[in-house]
Amino acid sequence: MTDKKMVDIYILGKRYSVPNTLTIMESMEYAGYQLKRGCGCRSGFCGACATVYRVKGNKEMKVVLACQSKVEDDMYLTQIPFFPGDKGIYDVNDLDATADSIAKYYPEIYKCIGCNSCTKGCSQGLDVMQYIGYAQRGELERCAHASFDCVSCGICATRCPAGITHYNVGLIARRLTGKYIAAETTHLNDRVREIENGDHDLDLEELMKKDISELKDLYNNRDITK
């Protein structure tokens, strides 16, 4: 059985006593906060709950996802619902699958000093510095695969002295790979054609008529391809 005890945490500078078995997100709700932003999926997939914290007596700043990390005694918390990083505006149809396309919108990737802080902070355990290296060299497919599990939480960007928004670099690499490099997917084209022809309109209308309990039952008992 887990040894459950109370620990002190600090939210917006105020001390709260919470069970040590809770995640950071759960502890905030336990303390009485109603989370309407920065809570998302609660399962480590959406990247909406990036949190900066420091433990009293330790000068190191740490960054984690609030839904995945348990509280520690004397933890000082600050949430980052999103990171206001640079985001290039482009039409993927006007770009080529080259390093120049990425450099046009994210030239700061060439200022990377190799500190690896982005990788150390990644909530998904990705080798972030490596996929930035792939982008620099125009190895877009490798960059796309290496960044595929990114949830765009922004933790990497908060740690970067060069001002790189790594998650947006990975995104443009995946888009260019999907558009120009990856093999054409026949079944996807067939499904898009079916949607455009209205083949699924009746099924969608039936779904829209169902109440929430029916939708939950359909979702929980759906066939999942593994």
Side-chain angles (χ1 to χ4, degrees), residues 1-201:
M1 182 178 293
T2 303
D3 182 19
K4 181 179 178 181
K5 65 177 183 179
M6 305 301 284
V7 295
D8 289 337
I9 63 171
Y10 295 81
I11 303 171
L12 299 177
K14 185 176 181 180
R15 181 170 61 87
Y16 296 91
S17 185
V18 302
N20 69 338
T21 55
L22 301 180
T23 64
I24 292 172
M25 184 177 291
E26 291 168 341
S27 71
M28 295 181 73
E29 293 176 318
Y30 181 93
Y33 289 86
Q34 183 180 11
L35 302 180
K36 294 184 177 181
R37 296 288 186 274
C39 44
C41 70
R42 298 173 178 265
S43 298
F45 293 109
C46 74
C49 62
T51 301
V52 177
Y53 77 90
R54 184 180 69 83
V55 176
K56 187 176 182 180
N58 188 337
K59 295 183 179 181
E60 182 183 1
M61 296 290 290
K62 299 184 178 180
V63 192
V64 294
L65 293 183
C67 69
Q68 296 296 293
S69 301
K70 286 189 176 182
V71 290
E72 300 177 36
D73 198 26
D74 285 333
M75 178 185 273
Y76 288 77
L77 302 167
T78 298
Q79 277 200 275
I80 309 175
F82 75 98
F83 183 76
D86 180 46
K87 181 180 181 181
I89 305 301
Y90 51 83
D91 185 337
V92 73
N93 294 300
D94 296 333
L95 302 180
D96 298 316
T98 63
D100 289 344
S101 292
I102 295 182
K104 179 179 179 179
Y105 295 96
Y106 303 105
E108 61 275 9
I109 63 174
Y110 294 105
K111 295 180 181 179
C112 174
I113 62 174
C115 68
N116 210 33
S117 292
C118 51
T119 300
K120 293 175 182 176
C122 182
S123 64
Q124 302 302 99
L126 303 182
D127 193 341
V128 183
M129 191 177 77
Q130 180 64 75
Y131 80 64
I132 293 299
Y134 290 145
Q136 292 172 336
R137 297 189 293 272
E139 299 177 56
L140 303 193
E141 189 169 14
R142 298 182 76 175
C143 180
H145 285 293
S147 67
F148 187 79
D149 289 325
C150 172
V151 295
S152 299
C153 66
I155 290 175
C156 52
T158 68
R159 308 284 294 271
C160 183
I164 301 170
T165 44
H166 314 72
Y167 52 95
N168 283 334
V169 174
L171 180 61
I172 190 174
R174 294 194 297 276
R175 286 173 170 169
L176 290 172
T177 297
K179 174 72 175 176
Y180 298 109
I181 300 174
E184 189 172 355
T185 308
T186 304
H187 67 269
L188 175 60
N189 293 336
D190 291 342
R191 182 53 56 89
V192 170
R193 191 158 42 249
E194 290 172 7
I195 293 171
E196 291 174 343
N197 292 338
D199 294 353
H200 303 285
D201 288 355

